[in-house]
Amino acid sequence: MEAEEIAAELQKVEAEIHDVEDQIRDLFERQEKLYERQSELKALLETRPVAVKDVSSSTTVQVEDWSGPFDWDSQADDIRFNVFGISSYRPNQREIINAVMSGRDVLVIMAAGGGKSLCYQLPAILRQGIALVVSPLLSLIQDQVMGLVASGIPAFMLTSTTNKEDEKFIYKALEKGEEDVKLLYVTPEKISKSKRFMSKLEKCNHAARLSLISIDATATMKVQNDLIEMLHIPKCIKFVSTVNRPNLFYMVQEKSSVGKVVIDEIAEYIKESYPNKESGIVYCFSRKECVQVASELCERGISADYYHADMDVNAREKVHMRWSKNKLQVIVGTVAFGMGINKPDVRFIIHHSLSKSMETYYQESGRAGRDGLPSECLLFFRPADVPRQSSMVFHENSGLQNLYDIVRYCQSKRQCRRSAFFQHFAEPLQECNGMCDNCAFSSEVKEVNASGHTKLMISLVHDMQEKDQRVTMLQLVDRVKNKQKQLDTTGAKLFVCVFVCGGRNLQSDLELKREEMEQLVVQLILDRVLNFVMMCLLAVKKEEFQHTAYATNAYVTVGPSANQILQGKKIIKMDVACRTKELDGYRKSIKHGVTSVLEFKLDELRKKLACHDGGIFPHSILSGQHISIISALKPSSIEELEKIIGKLKTEKYGDRIIEEVKKYGIAEDPNCDVLNGEPGTEIIPRKKLKTKKEVVLIESSNDES
Ligand SMILES: Nc1ncnc2c1ncn2[C@@H]1O[C@H](COP(=O)(O)OP(=O)(O)OP(=O)(O)O)[C@@H](O)[C@H]1O
Ligand SMILES: [Mg+2]
C-alpha cells in the first residue's frame, strides 16, 4: 500500500474510532438514564398499595394492613408516651412497629430526623429478650444508650470503649440470660472481628433470647437492594417515607480563597442570624481544619470547640455533652460527628467545605431542625476544594461519581437544591416552598458560552500531556489567565458569546473571573471534557527513610468528550451569577436597612404567612429584595406583582400582598397616619439609598461587577 492509501485508511479508521466512542458515550448516558428511571419507578411502586408478586413463589402476597388494631396497642402507647415522652406517632412509625412486633423483616427508609429509632427501640422494650442494634458510629451509640438509660431502659453498648466489668456482665446476659439487658448496641467491627462475641450471640439466639436485630444505617436504592440480598430477607416489608425535610433551608455560598475571610463570614452569619446562641454545627474537611476553625471562631467571640476521631473518647464525650447542654454554641466537627446526633434544636449546619457525597451531605445537614422548626443548612463552596476532596475519595467504590453529584449540587445556580435530594434518593419531586436559595432568591444568572475558554484549556492540557508534564486545576487556570494576557497584548480577544436571559446573543469579549474559570474547569470535569487523574506522590523525607508521607494530587488530563468540543459538535454553556451593584446594595440595605411603612407591613405579612404555612422561613414567602422592589414599584394588579415575585408565589400569596400595597402603599410620606398608631408600627426613618435612581427591575446585563 502507498503512503497516501495508508494515511487515508488511518484517517478513516480514526474517524470510525471517534464515532464508536460517541456511540459508547451515548449508550453510557442512555444506560444511566434508564437506571435512574428504573429506580424512580421502583420507588413509585413502593408508594402504591398494590398486591405484590412474592418473588420466591408464584402466589401474590396481599399487602398486609399494618395500621389495624393489635393486641399490644395499649402497651405500645403507654411506652411511647411514658418512656419516650412522645404523644403521637409520626407517619409509618406505628405500622413499622406492628410489623416488627409481628416478627416480620422490615426495611425502613425515612428522612434524617424522621424517627427511625422509636421503630426498633419500642418493640425491643415490648418483646422478650435482647435486641441487638448495629450502629456505625460511637457518637450515635453513646447518644442513644445515654437517652435510653436516662429513661430507665437497661441499654448497653459493647464497643472498644466498654470496660472489662461491663463486658463480662453483657456476655453473661447473652449466654445465660440472667442479667436484665433489653438493648445491646454494637459497631459493625464488633460483629465482623470478635469471634467471642459472635459465639455468645449464637448461644443467645439458640436459646431464643434474641428479640430482634436492627441495623441503623442510611440506604440509597442500591444499598437497599444489597441489604435485602446480603441479609437474605427477600420477603421483607419496605416502608418508604419521604426524605424531604421541609423545615430546612438549603443554600450554597461562594467560598473566598482567603481562609480568614471565610471564617469572618461564618462568624458574621452566626452572630447576625443566631444572636441568641442557638446551637449549630460547622463541618470541616480535616481534623486539622476543625481545630483551626474552632479556635478562629473563638477569637471572633463565638463559643465553639472541635470534635474529631483522633481525640480520646473522654475528650470527645466532654465536648459532646457541653454542646448538648448548650454550654457551647457551636461544635466544629469532621464526619465523625455525625449520624444520629439527636439534639432536636440545632438551628444551623454550616459546611466549611463540601461533603464527599450527596448521601453524606444529607446526613450531616439532617442534624438540623430535628424538632421540626425552621433551620438553615449553609455550604461554602469553591471549585478548588474539588480536587482536594477527589484525592480523598478516588479509591473508594464509585467515590468520584458520588463526589461529582454533590459538586453538581454546589455548582448549580438554577436547580432547586431540594430536587437534587429527591433525584439522589429516587423520590418523586416535591414542592420546595422557596426553602432553598435557588428558589427563594432569584439570583441573576447569566448563561455564558465558554467554548472559547474550553478549547484553549483543552489545547493547553493536550500540549502538556504531549510533553509528559502534569498540571493541576489551579495551574491550568493560571496558564489560561497568562494566555489571555498574551492574547490581549496581541489585540486578539478571547471571544465569548453571552446569552442574556432573554435569549439574545451578545457577542462580547468577556473575561471570565478567576473563580469562574475554576468553576468552568470543574464543569468540564463533570462533562468529561477534562479528567482528574490521581497521582500518589511518595514523598520520602530524606533524613528519615522509614517514614513516607503519601500525598495524592489530582491532575487534569484531556477527557473523552474533548473532541466534540474541538470539532465544534458541542458548545459549553456555563451559568454565571451576576450581582449588579444595586442588587447587592439592596441586599445590604434590607439586611441592615430600615423600612418604610409598606416594607414593614410586608415583613409582618410574610412572618404571618410563614407561621400559617408551618415550618418554612418568612424569606421563603417574600425575600428582602422582593419586599424592597414591591415597596418601590407598588404593583396594583396581580399581573404586575407576578412580574416581581413569579407565578407560584403570586398564586399563593398575591391577593394578600396586593391588599397590603393598596392599604399602605399609597403614602409617600412614611409619617402618614394610615397606621393610626397601630401598636408596634413606629416608623423607622428610611435611610436614603445611595443611588439616586428609583428602584428598577434588575435586568441581567453583560457588565460584570
Ligand atoms: N412521633 C414522634 N413525635 C415527635 N417526636 C418524635 C417522634 N418520633 C421521634 N421523635 C423525635 O425526633 C427526633 C429524631 O428521631 P430519631 O433520632 O429516631 O430520628 P432518625 O430517623 O433516627 O434520624 P437519623 O436518620 O438522623 O438518625 C428525636 O428527638 C425523637 O425523639
Ligand atoms: Mg437515627
Side-chain angles (χ1 to χ4, degrees):
M1 272 162 87
E2 292 307 315
E4 289 75 32
E5 286 167 315
I6 297 169
E9 176 152 2
L10 177 63
Q11 206 173 13
K12 215 163 113 265
V13 164
E14 281 176 347
E16 248 186 87
I17 288 171
H18 291 318
D19 287 351
V20 167
E21 273 175 354
D22 293 349
Q23 284 164 36
I24 291 169
R25 193 172 20 269
D26 295 347
L27 283 172
F28 264 128
E29 278 164 14
R30 210 170 126 242
Q31 183 194 39
E32 201 99 345
K33 287 206 170 53
L34 287 170
Y35 271 139
E36 274 169 23
R37 187 63 191 142
Q38 178 200 39
S39 25
E40 257 174 40
L41 291 171
K42 279 187 176 172
L44 274 173
L45 194 62
E46 296 304 334
T47 59
R48 298 293 185 272
V50 287
V52 287
K53 214 155 192 34
D54 182 342
V55 287
S56 56
S57 68
S58 57
T59 55
T60 51
V61 175
Q62 287 307 323
V63 173
E64 298 92 334
D65 172 13
W66 298 106
S67 50
F70 286 88
D71 307 345
W72 51 76
D73 280 346
S74 57
Q75 270 183 299
D77 291 346
D78 175 52
I79 292 170
R80 186 201 69 230
F81 187 68
N82 294 314
V83 173
F84 294 100
I86 288 174
S87 52
S88 62
Y89 288 115
R90 281 177 179 165
N92 270 348
Q93 280 184 318
R94 183 167 176 276
E95 290 74 6
I96 295 164
I97 289 168
N98 289 334
V100 172
M101 289 299 291
S102 309
R104 296 298 300 271
D105 293 323
V106 169
L107 179 67
V108 176
I109 304 300
M110 197 183 268
K116 292 184 283 295
S117 317
L118 185 74
C119 299
Y120 58 80
Q121 290 174 349
L122 196 150
I125 296 168
L126 265 179
R127 288 166 68 101
Q128 293 304 318
I130 300 175
L132 179 74
V133 182
V134 185
S135 174
L137 272 174
L138 202 51
S139 54
L140 164 76
I141 290 179
Q142 275 163 343
D143 211 69
Q144 302 234 346
V145 170
M146 270 185 321
L148 287 164
V149 168
S151 314
I153 309 294
F156 295 84
M157 55 195 258
L158 194 57
T159 64
S160 51
T161 63
T162 309
N163 63 45
K164 285 288 163 239
E165 205 186 315
D166 282 354
E167 193 177 68
K168 222 165 104 215
F169 173 85
I170 291 165
Y171 279 146
K172 226 166 117 199
L174 285 173
E175 200 162 5
K176 302 212 173 34
E178 289 148 15
E179 315 298 341
D180 183 15
V181 173
K182 285 308 278 179
L183 288 106
L184 175 61
Y185 280 77
V186 298
T187 54
E189 292 72 24
K190 183 57 89 177
I191 300 264
S192 57
K193 289 190 183 129
S194 166
K195 289 197 178 41
R196 187 171 168 228
F197 171 69
M198 288 310 284
S199 74
K200 307 282 182 202
L201 198 61
E202 295 271 359
K203 287 192 183 110
C204 178
N205 188 34
H206 288 149
R209 278 200 305 275
L210 194 55
S211 65
L212 62 89
I213 298 177
S214 163
I215 299 171
D216 195 346
T218 51
T220 57
M221 185 60 74
K222 182 166 174 338
V223 172
Q224 293 169 34
N225 297 334
D226 292 351
L227 269 176
I228 292 172
E229 202 183 313
M230 285 191 290
L231 298 177
H232 308 299
I233 48 173
K235 289 191 186 163
C236 75
I237 303 162
K238 258 170 89 170
F239 289 90
V240 183
S241 312
T242 174
V243 295
N244 191 19
R245 299 290 307 283
N247 61 315
L248 299 188
F249 186 90
Y250 297 103
M251 52 191 155
V252 176
Q253 175 142 342
E254 209 173 289
K255 179 179 178 182
S256 162
S257 54
V258 180
K260 292 253 173 268
V261 169
V262 181
I263 306 292
D264 287 341
E265 287 175 353
I266 292 178
E268 190 199 347
Y269 166 79
I270 295 174
K271 283 185 200 161
E272 289 226 330
S273 311
Y274 299 100
N276 305 322
K277 309 275 179 253
E278 291 91 335
S279 293
I281 303 176
V282 176
Y283 278 104
C284 288
F285 173 75
S286 67
R287 295 162 189 169
K288 188 165 151 271
E289 243 170 34
C290 269
V291 178
Q292 193 186 343
V293 168
S295 72
E296 293 194 22
L297 285 177
C298 291
E299 285 164 18
R300 290 161 176 80
I302 305 266
S303 85
D305 204 342
Y306 58 84
Y307 182 107
H308 58 67
D310 260 359
M311 295 161 67
D312 81 58
V313 174
N314 303 324
R316 265 189 274 172
E317 206 165 308
K318 213 162 126 239
V319 172
H320 184 181
M321 290 313 290
R322 282 175 59 218
W323 179 72
S324 300
K325 294 188 170 120
N326 295 325
K327 299 222 177 343
L328 201 58
Q329 184 184 6
V330 177
I331 272 211
V332 184
T334 58
V335 288
F337 191 71
M339 307 260 280
I341 290 305
N342 214 357
K343 198 172 192 304
D345 58 349
V346 178
R347 289 282 75 85
F348 59 91
I349 301 276
I350 297 172
H351 276 72
H352 181 265
S353 302
L354 78 162
S355 304
K356 65 178 199 174
S357 67
M358 284 302 287
E359 192 83 12
T360 312
Y361 185 62
Y362 176 77
Q363 272 295 332
E364 290 168 352
S365 57
R367 310 269 67 80
R370 295 161 77 89
D371 54 7
L373 296 177
S375 305
E376 292 183 294
C377 305
L378 169 59
L379 191 156
F380 281 83
F381 174 74
R382 67 184 284 249
D385 282 348
V386 178
R388 191 169 72 135
Q389 189 66 279
S390 57
S391 56
M392 298 298 282
V393 301
F394 78 97
H395 58 286
E396 290 174 13
N397 177 19
S398 64
L400 280 181
Q401 211 38 56
N402 294 338
L403 174 64
Y404 291 168
D405 285 347
I406 189 163
V407 171
R408 273 188 202 89
Y409 170 89
C410 295
Q411 293 243 121
S412 170
K413 295 180 173 56
R414 293 179 197 270
Q415 187 197 10
C416 164
R417 307 282 179 203
R418 208 164 238 92
S419 65
F421 288 118
F422 294 136
Q423 274 162 10
H424 180 78
F425 289 103
E427 188 174 318
L429 294 183
Q430 293 175 49
E431 183 44 58
C432 178
N433 279 323
M435 287 292 276
C436 85
D437 55 354
N438 282 348
C439 291
F441 311 120
S442 51
S443 69
E444 304 308 309
V445 179
K446 189 169 32 203
E447 193 172 59
V448 168
N449 175 352
S451 302
H453 287 78
T454 304
K455 287 176 185 164
L456 175 58
M457 287 180 179
I458 296 171
S459 55
L460 284 172
V461 173
H462 181 265
D463 293 351
M464 296 185 74
Q465 265 179 263
E466 292 293 293
K467 295 173 208 153
D468 203 15
Q469 290 171 344
R470 288 194 289 261
V471 66
T472 64
M473 171 174 122
L474 299 181
Q475 290 163 346
L476 175 59
V477 170
D478 288 338
R479 285 173 180 266
V480 174
K481 296 294 278 176
N482 296 337
K483 196 76 180 168
Q484 224 162 15
K485 281 192 194 110
Q486 286 164 21
L487 289 172
D488 286 356
T489 45
T490 60
K493 284 276 179 206
L494 188 60
F495 275 87
V496 175
C497 283
V498 178
F499 294 79
V500 183
C501 289
R504 283 168 290 115
N505 282 7
L506 282 181
Q507 187 74 24
S508 78
D509 45 10
L510 179 81
E511 288 229 339
L512 287 181
K513 288 185 276 189
R514 181 179 181 79
E515 48 277 5
E516 286 159 353
M517 278 205 204
E518 290 176 9
Q519 177 192 333
L520 176 59
V521 174
V522 169
Q523 183 174 324
L524 296 177
I525 299 272
L526 298 179
D527 294 349
R528 299 148 63 98
V529 175
L530 296 174
N531 251 349
F532 271 148
V533 284
M534 307 299 154
M535 298 274 181
C536 268
L537 301 179
L538 191 57
V540 178
K541 293 181 200 150
K542 296 283 171 293
E543 66 285 359
E544 298 163 70
F545 277 93
Q546 71 277 23
H547 291 294
T548 60
Y550 283 85
T552 308
N553 282 348
Y555 292 99
V556 182
T557 60
V558 175
S561 306
N563 272 330
Q564 287 181 320
I565 313 298
L566 297 176
Q567 293 160 3
K569 286 183 184 166
K570 187 175 169 188
I571 57 171
I572 292 289
K573 289 191 230 170
M574 184 171 92
D575 281 339
V576 173
C578 52
R579 284 191 168 70
T580 56
K581 287 271 175 301
E582 288 84 347
L583 194 58
D584 281 345
Y586 279 124
R587 289 223 168 89
K588 284 240 169 24
S589 66
I590 291 157
K591 199 168 170 113
H592 305 290
V594 288
T595 61
S596 69
V597 171
L598 178 54
E599 284 178 319
F600 176 81
K601 296 307 284 179
L602 287 173
D603 186 41
E604 290 295 293
L605 173 65
R606 69 174 175 173
K607 284 177 191 150
K608 236 182 277 164
L609 292 171
C611 287
H612 173 70
D613 262 5
I616 63 172
F617 275 115
H619 58 238
S620 324
I621 306 271
L622 274 182
S623 69
Q625 182 199 359
H626 283 151
I627 287 184
S628 175
I629 297 172
I630 292 168
S631 307
L633 299 181
K634 300 184 183 53
S636 54
S637 70
I638 288 287
E639 294 69 26
E640 281 175 31
L641 179 64
E642 190 173 314
K643 285 192 197 115
I644 301 172
I645 63 172
K647 198 172 175 52
L648 177 95
K649 293 186 188 201
T650 305
E651 274 167 6
K652 279 184 104 173
Y653 313 114
D655 295 340
R656 297 290 305 277
I657 294 169
I658 293 291
E659 194 186 314
E660 297 296 283
V661 174
K662 285 195 172 118
K663 201 168 163 193
Y664 301 107
I666 41 170
E668 284 311 306
D669 166 10
N671 295 306
C672 66
D673 62 357
V674 279
L675 293 174
N676 43 54
E678 270 178 34
T681 57
E682 61 287 346
I683 307 302
I684 314 158
R686 185 181 170 75
K687 224 190 241 170
K688 267 274 156 270
L689 274 183
K690 291 209 183 62
T691 49
K692 291 276 169 294
K693 46 182 155 155
E694 263 308 293
V695 174
V696 285
L697 257 187
I698 292 123
E699 294 283 345
S700 59
S701 70
N702 63 353
D703 62 314
E704 283 295 286
S705 51

